[in-house]
Amino acid sequence: MTSRRRRLAAVGVPALAAGLLGLAGCGTAAAPEPAESLTVYAAASLVGPVSDLLAEYATDHSEVSVEPAVFDGSSTLVTQITESAAPDVIVTANETTMADLTAAGLVDQPHVVATNTLVIAVPEGNPAGIASLTDLADVDTVLCAPQVPCGDAGATLLQLNQVELDPLSLEQNVTAAAERVTSGAAEAALVYATDVAAREDQLDAIVPARAEEVVNRYPAATLTTASPAGAEFVELLGSARGTAVLADYGFGPP
Amino acid sequence: MSAPVNAVRPAREAGGRIPPLLLAPAVLAVALLTLPLLALLPRVDWAGAPQALTSPEALAAVSLSLRTGLVAVGCCLILGVPLALVLARAPSPVAAALRVLVTLPLVLPPLVGGLALLYLFGRQGWLGQATGAVGISVPFTTAAVVLAQTFVALPFLVISLEGALRTAGGRAATVAATLGASRWTVLRRITLPRAMPGLIAGTVLAFARAVGEFGATAMVAGNAPGRTQTIPMAIYTAFNGAGVSRDSALALAVLLVIVALVILIGLRDWRRREAW
């Protein structure tokens, strides 16, 4: 019996090793590395302006292979980078999430490129007649999770207004929260002014009291491993041209 | 209640004797399984579906899913066929323990599998540190998609094939061995051909599962268009307000349901023909 087991091991181990080598082979074949490329990770609220500026950059720099940007909640992006994702540029929706990357020594000095404030998003025409944060207690409201920048800002704003809510759901990124209202799953959401501006044919914005006191500052940074294209793109974001495109989408100046 | 004297009856004869009370929940169960999928259909803009499916973002997701799914199935075959052989031939305590391990990814939430893969291959993981030292990073690459798909699809191949291997070979294999055939010859000429229905069924199921994989992929591969955004990730992202349009996402969702249905129906007919 023991000799049979040993023979099984003798067959199984090399087979497994060959398989793992095959697996590694699949991986290297599937991910070719071009000479110079630019990969941008950006907060979900930046879909519009960052896509536009990336398209502009790609037109002006045909020698750089510009990868499609990844948009998600800032915390998700920061976790992915901490766990080994390596884009060239990261733009987050607040300075707290970026601080984790700075502390870990994964990014160079970040620059604030835009600002944003919160509004109450309601379906067009405001059918529930919402006028203040207090009114949100009477309708199905969606908030961002407190771990992501829009949720962090939302919690601060609710606290300033001494309002407590029992939200329908806590979303992982701000576009998800805005989409819940657009699709009719929720009657209101606390999102950025820019998210309503991007869906102006479907959503209306109610500016809550003291919203001007809770301003999110968006820092952009290159990773320490970034290609030179990364630094160029961060420069473009912070330039007059970048600020103008961001302003078109409703973002405030840095 | 006294047990019937003749307890062993042909199934067909007992078939007419289901208490009518149980029919209602059975019908409800079928409704629960099928109505949600049918509810997708009226939401699809059928006229616009060809265009929605061929948008650059949707095509990128479909192409990535097909490529990674095929590579994952290749990896499943390389790793799974030997494992199924070991399972079918190992002494029972070893086989029982291995079978538990093989079944684990089937019952775990895929997110947990993805998290585990991330902590193995991530910057601080055991393997991640080793591969990082030679400049290879697996998470958030196309390779990570293949890894996640292989992890969740492998049990489907191994379990289907093991069942077939248990009955394959038998006396013919013993006779061949006593006539001097080597182990490789017995495997190649007798065991594997006889287990072929199980191997094909397992391969097809593993492919379907790989293409549908979402949770583990989200964790270990992320959501980069063209690189790690497979069909399920594209659908999820669309309903988070980014990436492909909602129309594309719905069309892709229906496409996945149809592909899964075709695979399952095909397997069923084929198994009947093969008397498997």
Side-chain angles (χ1 to χ4, degrees):
Chain A
M1 202 55 133
T2 39
S3 74
R4 190 177 162 203
R5 277 185 210 175
R6 208 173 299 137
R7 266 179 270 141
L8 274 174
V11 175
V13 170
L16 205 70
L20 282 173
L21 279 176
L23 205 69
C26 314
T28 44
E33 288 293 321
E36 189 176 6
S37 67
L38 173 63
T39 308
V40 176
Y41 277 23
S45 45
L46 289 166
V47 170
V50 165
S51 303
D52 287 2
L53 287 168
L54 263 182
E56 259 180 46
Y57 182 88
T59 315
D60 297 344
H61 298 79
S62 53
E63 78 284 2
V64 178
S65 125
V66 176
E67 304 293 324
V70 176
F71 298 103
D72 212 325
S74 299
S75 315
T76 304
L77 298 176
V78 165
T79 306
Q80 293 187 349
I81 292 173
T82 311
E83 292 297 340
S84 46
D88 299 293
V89 174
I90 165 91
V91 194
T92 59
N94 71 5
E95 292 168 300
T96 323
T97 42
M98 184 66 89
D100 292 346
L101 293 179
T102 322
L106 291 169
V107 296
D108 299 320
Q109 184 61 38
H111 302 282
V112 174
V113 293
T115 54
N116 213 345
T117 53
L118 290 172
V119 297
I120 303 168
V122 293
E124 199 179 28
N126 193 7
I130 287 159
S132 71
L133 289 173
T134 322
D135 294 343
L136 294 182
D138 304 325
V139 296
D140 285 338
T141 302
V142 165
L143 300 177
C144 293
Q147 293 79 11
V148 298
C150 65
D152 186 21
T156 311
L157 185 63
L158 287 169
Q159 208 168 21
L160 278 177
N161 284 274
Q162 294 179 320
V163 173
E164 273 192 46
L165 295 178
D166 178 21
L168 191 64
S169 162
L170 294 173
E171 298 295 330
Q172 295 302 310
N173 63 64
V174 70
T175 44
E179 281 297 312
R180 293 284 188 229
V181 183
T182 313
S183 67
E187 297 170 83
L190 210 47
V191 299
Y192 297 124
T194 52
D195 293 297
V196 177
R199 296 166 179 77
E200 60 185 354
D201 49 346
Q202 289 159 309
L203 300 180
D204 281 350
I206 316 291
V207 179
R210 306 184 74 172
E212 71 285 354
E213 292 175 44
V214 185
V215 178
N216 272 37
R217 291 153 52 85
Y218 283 57
T222 49
L223 271 82
T224 49
T225 54
S227 68
E232 285 172 6
F233 188 70
V234 169
E235 208 170 293
L236 175 63
L237 280 171
S239 69
R241 174 68 194 143
T243 308
V245 171
L246 284 156
D248 282 347
Y249 284 93
F251 286 91
Chain B
M1 276 262 269
S2 61
V5 181
N6 183 11
V8 186
R9 278 173 198 278
R12 206 162 298 243
E13 195 181 322
R17 301 197 178 180
I18 296 168
L21 202 61
L22 294 185
L23 277 177
V27 169
L28 270 180
V30 172
L32 176 65
L33 294 174
T34 51
L35 283 184
L37 297 176
L38 290 177
L40 282 172
L41 302 182
R43 295 296 192 97
V44 177
D45 168 18
W46 293 101
Q51 208 186 341
L53 282 176
T54 51
S55 73
E57 295 90 350
L59 274 186
V62 170
S63 146
L64 182 72
S65 277
L66 284 180
R67 284 182 289 132
T68 54
L70 287 174
V71 178
V73 164
C75 293
C76 282
L77 284 170
I78 294 170
L79 301 175
V81 173
L83 178 54
L85 275 167
V86 170
L87 269 179
R89 302 284 184 261
S92 60
V94 178
L98 282 176
R99 205 168 291 121
V100 168
L101 289 181
V102 170
T103 317
L104 209 48
L106 280 183
V107 295
L108 277 180
L111 278 172
V112 173
L115 194 64
L117 287 172
L118 188 55
Y119 286 158
L120 179 61
F121 288 94
R123 219 184 277 280
Q124 268 105 43
W126 295 335
L127 276 179
Q129 281 179 340
T131 59
V134 292
I136 297 172
S137 175
V138 176
F140 310 105
T141 63
T142 309
V145 177
V146 172
L147 193 65
Q149 290 176 336
T150 307
F151 181 82
V152 297
L154 189 55
F156 287 81
L157 177 82
V158 172
I159 290 170
S160 299
L161 181 57
E162 190 217 342
L165 283 173
R166 283 192 170 277
T167 53
R171 284 188 58 189
T174 318
V175 169
T178 52
L179 292 176
S182 75
R183 283 160 191 246
W184 278 112
T185 311
V186 173
L187 183 67
R188 204 159 40 81
R189 304 284 295 273
I190 297 169
T191 314
L192 279 183
R194 291 190 172 202
M196 198 48 77
L199 181 60
I200 293 174
T203 306
V204 172
L205 281 179
F207 178 72
R209 181 66 189 88
V211 169
E213 214 300 304
F214 171 73
T217 310
M219 272 286 171
V220 72
N223 190 26
R227 188 154 47 92
T228 63
Q229 192 176 83
T230 54
I231 295 176
M233 295 301 301
I235 294 171
Y236 181 71
T237 312
F239 286 88
N240 265 343
V244 300
S245 69
R246 287 226 178 170
D247 287 342
S248 294
L250 262 174
L252 286 172
V254 171
L255 184 72
L256 277 189
V257 174
I258 293 171
V259 167
L261 261 181
V262 166
I263 286 179
L264 291 177
I265 293 171
L267 272 183
R268 186 184 143 273
D269 290 349
W270 178 78
R271 274 182 193 176
R272 182 175 292 159
R273 274 204 311 279
E274 297 283 322
W276 189 60

